[in-house]
Amino acid sequence: LDELAELIDAAGGRTLSLFSSWRGVERAAEYLALRFRGRDDRPIIVAQRGDSVADLVRKFKAEPRATLLGTVSLWQGIDVPGNTCTLVTIDRIPFPRPDDPVMSARSARVDAAGGSGFNSISIPKAALLLAQGVGRLIRTTEDRGVVAVLDSRLATKGYGTTLRKSLPPLWYTNDKASVTNSLRNLDASAGD
């Protein structure tokens, strides 16, 4: 949450934060409300269960320094081109939930046949969702920004390479100073 707040601040808001669970959204909302208390230059828009995605996106577009926090409904199909969204954060690699009966059954079938359900089912599903989340950043040829995946497994696990290869050709780094400097430069050039 500290890293998320630092990235949001460096970006001047302008952030779409995607979470893998409602609990993640709630924790981030609580933390950011405290972290940015008294600062009207960092408004936080928090998606709630049942909210209209169109209304959330309209609010986000109307306030260029806002941060929008949400779950799976925001991972695909929203379009916010331009300087309103220069940072997309993803809290965790979006692996299928272990209690999803369809995904569990598919994975079990692959495992029973001698394969790896994780490699055959979970990784491709996560790669698709991750690519959809990343796709929220670049909507036109003029868009610039940062996608920050705040899950160290993307860099440390063997399957991280497979997941990174499924993404558009982005410059990849673990250097936090480079990322925050890039975000500050983007914010300075945004010209609200």
Side-chain angles (χ1 to χ4, degrees):
L1 293 174
D2 282 335
E3 191 165 354
L4 174 62
E6 290 171 25
L7 291 169
I8 290 169
D9 213 22
R14 308 177 196 285
T15 302
L16 174 61
S17 287
L18 302 173
F19 293 86
S20 54
S21 70
W22 284 110
R23 180 67 188 131
V25 171
E26 292 161 0
R27 287 183 60 226
E30 291 167 7
Y31 179 83
L32 294 172
L34 290 173
R35 178 79 178 252
F36 296 131
R37 181 181 25 210
R39 290 186 60 186
D40 16 339
D41 65 333
R42 296 294 178 268
I44 307 294
I45 303 166
V46 182
Q48 305 290 326
R49 288 177 178 90
D51 279 353
S52 159
V53 171
D55 290 342
L56 290 168
V57 171
R58 195 172 12 264
K59 288 177 190 174
F60 185 49
K61 286 180 178 179
E63 177 54 63
R65 294 199 167 270
T67 294
L68 174 56
L69 310 175
T71 62
V72 71
S73 63
L74 300 178
W75 283 70
Q76 55 193 352
I78 70 165
D79 189 23
V80 186
N83 295 329
T84 298
C85 183
T86 58
L87 172 62
V88 171
T89 66
I90 297 173
D91 73 330
R92 295 187 329 175
I93 296 170
F95 286 116
R97 292 176 47 111
D99 60 352
D100 178 326
V102 173
M103 296 307 270
S104 293
R106 288 179 181 165
S107 187
R109 188 171 352 140
V110 172
D111 288 342
S116 168
F118 181 73
N119 289 335
S120 298
I121 304 297
S122 296
I123 290 177
K125 178 69 172 171
L128 176 64
L129 284 172
L130 194 59
Q132 289 174 327
V134 167
R136 299 311 93 214
L137 179 66
I138 305 298
R139 306 307 298 160
T140 72
T141 57
E142 308 299 315
D143 290 343
R144 303 288 180 264
V146 169
V147 175
V149 179
L150 303 174
D151 186 334
S152 63
R153 295 177 296 176
L154 191 62
T156 61
K157 296 293 185 183
Y159 55 76
T161 302
T162 301
L163 292 172
R164 285 193 308 273
K165 286 180 181 178
S166 74
L167 301 176
L170 304 171
W171 177 65
Y172 175 79
T173 185
N174 285 325
D175 181 18
K176 186 176 173 183
S178 293
V179 172
T180 54
N181 287 336
S182 294
L183 287 169
R184 285 186 189 101
N185 290 336
L186 287 166
D187 182 39
S189 68
D192 296 333

